[in-house]
């Protein structure tokens, strides 16, 4: 039975039930309905085997509410708009806009506040649209259920179908094959009842359920989902039937525990950490700039508060004021493209950047690496030699058990056996009776009439190895030898079915489990999980993109390792998956030790939800940007712990609501496309930041230097504003650029130290070009004087600033090869437009209005030489930077 633990319910229970617990308690925590005998549970719920009286049920429905999941209300659009102001750069821009308004720099104030409004509008609109798309994916857990109720205390009980929303604690319900468990229940009676709990635990194999009144020492310390007497909302009945009493409904179920607000809280994502690191570095510069400008001008030039507008303009010049707009536009375009081409919904725009930055992807193997259906690997006898007869007997048992027991469908293992056998339905054997699988016996038996054997019935039993061997006539040594053989095969990642048979004299009476004795061991059927067709190629592609895949599963270590080996998932040059880390080892490690182990290991087996979340958190603490792919309630802690939570469209309701990204299907290929889209958007954002910040820093250094050397301001505030407007308009092209292939080969991480190093180096180079232009202007305008000289100087520096910024946009674009840099159509066009404006604007009637005049031809010739030298230096510096990376 799979070892697992998952979410505990939180919410309302009626008097007498154990107190609700917090979501995802530690293994062994008591849950409602788990303690006491069935009779004690019924009494505590003020119910009985005949069910509730209708009047009592209506009273409880009014008291406890409907049996529905708590509504997850989407955030209203206006609130999203206001919440967008919490972005660091947006907040700084808002403050600078208000300061500009205070000092009567109305043009600057209006432009900045307009940028803030556009950024918030774009971000809130895109996230609101994603919320609406996700809301359309909500599915009902179940619609109706069969409940046992009475019209009065003395009336006989009767079964009837009622809406799931009308169920209350204390209701007695019937469960049959294919039913969805509508609430958390305690099993009262069962016949071959098995339940699929994959939505809760991630385990693909059905789990046997049966009444349990006396404590089982073997289950001491096991998780709630390992308790055979408990079933939980969100699971489904695979086979058999049962009667159960409801112990918790609505918000009190473990399924609904994921809606607890505390469970949805998460730390800062990779995008948040990156932007905040860069933001606060720049904010410090911006806050220091105005006081330094004021103090320097007061000390050296005797100027007072009249330089405050210029100081504010310089601070604005350092600010990448288009960053919120560029970031939101680039991410929104990437999210829209993903939704249109791949059916991937990005619910939280920054999550698209996080996808591009992911370097570790954690996932379960079931349904992602495997197809969630086993296939027969081999059929061997007791000597581990191939024997087709073993498979034939197993198929006969599966076929006639399915038909005579009237099961709706074979389970996954029986289906694999029937698929591998050659036409078992055409056999001359005739079924007589069947004893279906029972969770206590852990075997199934078919009684057959063999051709030519009159008066003889053959019992064919298959099931768990230990259970079958107990029913065979074997001595102790032989039993131990066969158990050791089965253990070796299980360690190699195979699932096993043991097969045994016996001949009995034919009889007309029925067969019972007591007849399953003195059997002859036939052999073992070994099954393995089938890798998903696209998994191996997708893993290879992700590895080439620098994304390490780690498998976090609740399965047997051997099973998980075998799947990884089949897919070629390796962790060391010698090959293989390395050592499989089990949950038992994880429990012994400190957080620091786990971070080191998680960094090396590829496979983690026997994981509970808490183990998955802790492993993901350890990887984040080690500096990795993590993504987690999950689809069940058991995956919720890890979805919240990861930088970006990913789930498929058919995931359980709460998993879709908790995830940041919803895939059209659970496929690694879709994740690869989402990662590429994230890197595409992040590459454009990174290029914008590098170019803009280095250029802005160079301009600010040059302006501050020139301001201290000149008897007049190097640029008027209005000129600074127009220059920024021109550059801002050109910068919009960054959101529409297509980064080179080299930018998509590795995770796109915005590291503040790297950016600071880049912008400092290239900013100083830009400042050198600006100061060289200062010398050119002094040479070209040495005969000019008075206001004419100032206007010409302003025009010359205005033109040079826009030309150097256009040059930087072309030469520092993302992409290592010349072909990649030439491919930047939108940026090249924007840079060309910026250069044209820089040359022509001073010559237009708008030039004198801005305090600029025409320049002599000598200036343009000398400026061409400066720009040529600057381009050479820029190219050399870029190549050196790329080599160092």
């Amino acid at each position: 039975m799979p070892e697992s633990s998952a979410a505990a319910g939180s919410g309302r229970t009626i008097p007498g039930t154990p107190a609700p617990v917090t979501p995802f308690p530690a293994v062994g925590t008591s849950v409602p309905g788990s303690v006491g005998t069935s009779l004690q549970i019924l009494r505590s719920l003020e119910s009985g085997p005949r069910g509730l009286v209708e009047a009592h049920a209506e009273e409880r429905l009014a008291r406890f509410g409907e049996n529905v999941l708590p509504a997850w209300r989407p955030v209203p659009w206006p609130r999203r708009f206001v919440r967008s102001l919490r972005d660091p750069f947006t907040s700084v821009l808002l403050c600078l806009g208000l300061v500009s308004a205070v000092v009567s720099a109305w043009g600057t104030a209006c432009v900045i506040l307009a940028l803030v409004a556009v950024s918030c509008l774009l971000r809130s609109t895109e996230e609101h649209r994603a919320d609406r798309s996700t809301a359309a994916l909500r599915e009902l857990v179940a619609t109706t259920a069969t409940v046992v109720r009475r019209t009065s205390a003395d009336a006989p009980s009767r079964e009837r179908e009622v809406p799931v929303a009308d169920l209350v604690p204390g209701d007695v319900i019937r469960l049959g094959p294919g039913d969805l468990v509508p609430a958390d229940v305690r099993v009262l009676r069962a016949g071959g009842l098995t339940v699929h709990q994959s939505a809760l635990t991630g385990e693909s194999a059905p789990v046997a359920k049966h009444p349990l009144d006396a404590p089982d020492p073997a289950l001491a310390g096991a998780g709630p989902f390992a308790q055979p007497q408990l079933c939980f909302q969100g699971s489904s009945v695979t086979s058999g039937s049962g009667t159960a009493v409801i112990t918790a409904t609505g918000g009190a179920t473990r399924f609904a525990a994921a809606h607890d607000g505390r469970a949805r809280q998460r730390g800062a994502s990779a995008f948040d950490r990156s932007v905040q690191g860069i933001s606060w570095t720049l904010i410090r510069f911006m806050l220091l700039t105005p006081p330094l400008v004021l103090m320097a001008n007061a000390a050296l030039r005797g100027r007072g508060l009249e330089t405050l507008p210029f100081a504010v303009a310089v601070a604005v010049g350092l600010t990448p004021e288009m960053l919120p707009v560029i970031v939101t536009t680039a991410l929104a375009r990437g999210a829209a493209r993903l939704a249109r081409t791949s059916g991937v919904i990005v619910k939280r725009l920054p999550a698209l950047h996080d996808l591009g930055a992911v370097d570790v992807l954690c996932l379960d193997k079931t349904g992602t690496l495997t197809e969630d259906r086993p296939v027969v690997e081999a059929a061997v006898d007791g000597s581990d030699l191939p024997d087709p007869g073993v498979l034939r007997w197993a198929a006969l048992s599966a076929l006639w058990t399915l038909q005579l027991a009237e099961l709706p469908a074979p389970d996954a293992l029986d289906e694999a056996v029937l698929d591998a056998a050659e036409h078992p339905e055409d056999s001359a054997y005739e079924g007589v009776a069947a004893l279906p699988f029972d969770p206590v016996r852990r075997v199934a038996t078919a009684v057959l009439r063999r051709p030519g054997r009159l008066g003889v019935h053959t019992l064919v039993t298959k099931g768990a190895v230990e259970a079958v061997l107990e029913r065979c006539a074997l001595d102790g040594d032989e039993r131990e030898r066969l158990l050791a053989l089965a253990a070796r095969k299980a360690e190699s990642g195979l699932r096993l079915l043991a097969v045994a048979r016996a001949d009995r004299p034919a009889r007309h009476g029925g067969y019972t489990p007591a007849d399953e004795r003195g059997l002859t061991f036939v052999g073992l059927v070994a099954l393995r999980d089938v890798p998903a067709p696209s998994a191996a190629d997708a893993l290879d592609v992700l590895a080439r993109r620098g994304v390490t895949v780690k498998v976090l599963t609740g399965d047997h270590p051997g099973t998980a390792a075998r799947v990884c080996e089949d897919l070629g998932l390796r962790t060391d040059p010698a090959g293989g998956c390395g050592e499989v880390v089990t949950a038992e080892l994880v429990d012994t490690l400190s957080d620091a030790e786990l971070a080191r182990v998680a960094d090396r290991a590829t496979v983690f087996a026997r994981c509970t939800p808490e183990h998955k979340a802790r492993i993901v958190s350890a990887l984040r603490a080690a500096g990795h940007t993590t993504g987690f792919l999950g689809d069940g309630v058991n995956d919720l802690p890890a979805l919240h712990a990861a930088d970006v939570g990913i789930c498929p469209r058919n995931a359980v309701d709460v998993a879709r609501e908790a995830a940041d990204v919803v895939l059209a299907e659970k496929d690694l290929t879709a994740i690869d496309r989402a990662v590429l889209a994230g890197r595409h958007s992040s590459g454009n954002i990174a290029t914008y930041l590098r170019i803009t910040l280095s250029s802005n820093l160079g301009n600010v250094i040059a302006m501050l230097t020139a301001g201290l050397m000149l008897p007049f301001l190097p640029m008027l505030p209005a000129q600074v504003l127009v220059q920024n407007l021109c550059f801002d308009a050109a910068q919009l092209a960054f959101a529409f650029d297509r980064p080179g292939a080299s930018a998509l080969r590795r995770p796109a991480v915005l590291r503040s130290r790297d950016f600071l190093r880049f912008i400092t180096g290239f900013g100083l180079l830009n400042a050198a070009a600006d100061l060289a232009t200062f010398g050119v202007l002094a040479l070209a305008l040495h005969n000019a004087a008075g206001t004419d000289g100032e206007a010409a100087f302003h025009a010359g520096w205005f033109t040079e600033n826009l030309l150097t910024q256009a040059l930087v946009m072309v030469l520092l674009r993302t992409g290592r090869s010349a072909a990649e840099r030439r491919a930047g159509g939108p940026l090249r066009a924007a840079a060309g437009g910026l250069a044209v404006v820089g040359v022509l604007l001073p010559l237009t009637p708008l030039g004198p209005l801005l305090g600029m005049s025409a320049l002599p031809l000598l200036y343009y010739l000398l400026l061409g030489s400066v720009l040529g030298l600057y381009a050479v230096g820029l190219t050399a510096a870029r190549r050196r930077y790329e080599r160092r990376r």
Side-chain angles (χ1 to χ4, degrees), residues 212-234:
L212 184 68
D213 282 341
D216 187 349
L219 297 175
F225 294 116
Q227 303 294 330
Q229 76 277 23
L230 300 179
C231 295
F232 299 92
Q233 184 185 44

Side-chain angles (χ1 to χ4, degrees), residues 401-423:
T401 302
L402 175 66
Q403 294 187 9
L404 296 177
E406 298 182 352
L407 300 177
D411 66 20
L413 298 182
D414 280 352
E415 190 172 23
V417 169
L418 291 171
D419 288 343
E422 295 183 0
H423 309 295

Side-chain angles (χ1 to χ4, degrees), residues 416-797:
V417 169
L418 291 171
D419 288 343
E422 295 183 0
H423 309 295
E425 65 277 4
D426 296 335
S427 172
Y429 292 83
E430 180 183 352
V432 175
L435 299 174
F437 180 85
D438 182 274
V440 177
R441 293 162 44 240
R442 296 191 298 160
V443 297
T445 298
V447 182
L448 311 176
R449 184 180 294 116
R450 301 167 64 183
R453 299 291 300 273
L454 295 176
V456 176
H457 287 169
T458 300
L459 279 70
V460 184
T461 300
K462 65 173 176 56
V465 175
E466 298 85 349
V468 171
L469 291 180
E470 288 175 359
R471 291 162 171 79
C472 292
L474 299 170
D475 59 36
D477 292 340
E478 180 66 7
R479 183 176 286 107
E480 291 299 323
R481 185 186 70 81
L482 292 173
L483 286 172
L485 171 64
R488 290 196 299 273
K489 289 187 171 297
E491 287 296 329
S492 67
L494 297 174
R495 301 184 187 184
L496 298 174
L497 283 176
V499 183
R501 66 183 180 88
D503 291 336
R504 298 281 192 268
R507 67 173 187 243
H508 295 291
Y511 285 84
T512 68
D515 294 305
E516 299 170 335
R517 292 286 182 264
L519 306 179
T520 300
F521 181 75
V522 176
L524 299 171
V525 178
L527 304 99
R528 61 176 175 83
D529 289 322
V530 180
S534 61
D537 292 339
L539 287 172
D540 185 57
V541 170
L542 288 172
R544 291 201 304 269
R545 300 197 195 285
V547 178
T548 302
V549 173
K550 297 186 182 294
V551 180
L552 280 54
T553 179
D555 280 348
H556 187 283
T559 303
R562 174 64 178 269
V563 170
C564 292
E565 290 173 0
D566 290 345
L567 292 171
L569 192 58
R570 300 180 175 181
T571 59
D572 53 79
C577 288
E579 182 181 356
V580 176
V581 178
T582 63
E584 290 78 7
L585 177 60
V586 171
D587 289 334
T588 65
L589 300 175
S590 65
D591 290 343
E593 293 170 335
L594 179 58
R596 291 192 293 270
V597 171
D599 198 39
R600 298 192 305 268
T602 298
V603 184
F604 297 82
R606 299 296 193 193
C607 290
T608 66
E610 295 79 18
H611 290 125
K612 293 180 181 181
R614 189 171 173 228
I615 292 166
V616 171
S617 298
L619 289 167
R620 287 186 68 188
H624 294 287
T625 303
T626 60
F628 183 84
L629 173 63
D631 59 359
V633 177
N634 66 306
D635 295 320
L636 284 170
L639 285 170
H640 290 298
D643 287 292
V644 54
I646 312 167
C647 79
R649 191 188 302 265
N650 60 353
V652 297
D653 225 20
V654 290
R656 284 200 308 270
E657 289 166 342
D660 302 305
V661 177
V662 180
L663 306 177
E665 55 189 5
K666 196 174 182 181
D667 183 11
L668 289 179
T669 304
I671 294 181
D672 177 58
R673 292 194 294 268
V675 166
L676 279 182
R679 293 185 183 181
H680 187 140
S681 299
S682 298
N684 288 342
I685 295 170
T687 302
Y688 162 77
L689 280 172
R690 290 191 181 98
I691 292 175
T692 301
L693 294 179
S694 59
S695 180
N696 287 359
L697 180 63
N699 288 340
V700 167
I701 293 174
M703 260 197 287
L704 291 177
T705 304
L708 298 178
M709 298 173 61
L710 294 173
F712 53 86
L713 293 177
M715 289 187 75
L716 300 177
Q719 295 165 357
V720 175
L721 174 61
V722 172
Q723 175 184 280
N724 288 343
L725 283 175
C726 294
F727 197 25
D728 290 344
Q731 287 169 345
L732 281 173
F734 285 106
F736 301 90
D737 190 28
R738 294 184 63 84
S742 59
L744 307 178
R745 292 179 189 143
R746 59 182 181 273
V749 181
L750 306 176
R751 294 188 174 91
S752 55
R753 287 188 178 182
D754 291 344
F755 273 96
L756 187 59
R757 189 182 304 116
F758 184 96
I759 65 176
T760 301
F762 285 91
L764 291 175
L765 186 61
N766 184 277
D770 287 347
L771 293 175
T773 303
F774 178 71
V776 168
L777 285 168
L779 180 63
L781 303 175
H782 66 282
N783 291 326
T787 56
D788 291 339
E790 291 183 21
F793 185 93
H794 291 156
W797 209 337

Side-chain angles (χ1 to χ4, degrees), residues 71-347:
W72 189 311
R73 297 180 180 176
V75 179
W77 184 87
R79 186 181 299 176
R80 285 193 181 278
F81 184 89
V82 174
R83 213 163 60 179
S84 301
L85 294 173
R86 293 186 301 183
D87 176 83
F89 268 123
T90 305
S91 301
V92 170
L93 284 176
L94 184 61
C95 293
L96 286 174
L98 296 177
V99 171
S100 300
V102 170
V103 298
S104 300
W106 299 111
T108 302
C110 290
V111 170
I112 292 177
L113 294 177
L115 290 174
V116 169
V118 169
S119 172
C120 294
L121 181 66
L122 286 173
R123 175 170 295 185
S124 55
T125 300
E126 283 299 323
E127 292 186 355
H128 185 67
R129 183 181 303 161
D131 261 5
R132 286 189 302 174
S133 300
T134 305
L137 299 176
R138 289 186 63 92
E139 299 170 352
L140 294 176
V141 175
T143 54
T144 63
T146 303
V147 66
V148 178
R149 284 184 182 172
R150 297 168 289 160
T151 56
S152 64
D154 298 329
S157 59
R158 61 187 182 91
E159 298 179 5
R160 67 185 184 93
E161 292 288 319
V162 300
V164 164
D166 292 343
L167 296 176
V168 295
D171 262 330
V172 175
I173 61 172
R174 307 289 194 205
L175 298 173
D179 287 348
L180 293 171
V181 179
D184 290 355
V185 302
R186 167 75 177 250
V187 177
L188 303 176
R189 292 188 300 276
L193 181 64
T194 60
V195 173
H196 223 304
Q197 299 184 150
S198 59
L200 298 162
T201 66
E203 298 296 336
S204 57
V207 179
K209 298 292 182 180
H210 58 86
L212 184 68
D213 282 341
D216 187 349
L219 297 175
F225 294 116
Q227 303 294 330
Q229 76 277 23
L230 300 179
C231 295
F232 299 92
Q233 184 185 44
S235 52
S236 60
V237 178
T238 307
S239 62
S241 60
T243 301
V245 60
I246 294 178
T247 59
T249 61
T253 63
R254 298 175 74 83
F255 191 88
H259 289 266
D260 189 293
R262 292 168 298 174
R264 296 195 298 270
Q265 295 175 358
R266 68 167 68 191
S269 67
F271 180 81
D272 298 329
R273 296 194 300 270
S274 301
V275 171
Q276 287 176 7
I278 298 171
S279 299
W280 287 113
T281 300
L282 292 174
I283 287 170
R284 294 186 187 98
F285 279 114
M286 290 158 51
L287 293 177
L288 288 174
T289 299
L292 287 176
V293 172
L294 291 174
M295 289 188 294
N297 279 277
L300 299 179
R301 295 292 177 185
R303 299 167 185 158
L305 290 178
E306 66 271 14
T307 60
L308 181 58
F310 175 72
V312 173
V314 171
V316 172
L318 181 62
T319 308
E321 57 261 41
M322 289 296 290
L323 178 61
V325 177
I326 296 293
V327 168
T328 306
T329 304
L331 295 179
R333 290 188 73 248
R337 190 185 309 114
L338 267 180
R340 184 175 62 253
T341 61
S342 305
V344 177
I345 298 174
V346 179
K347 296 171 52 184

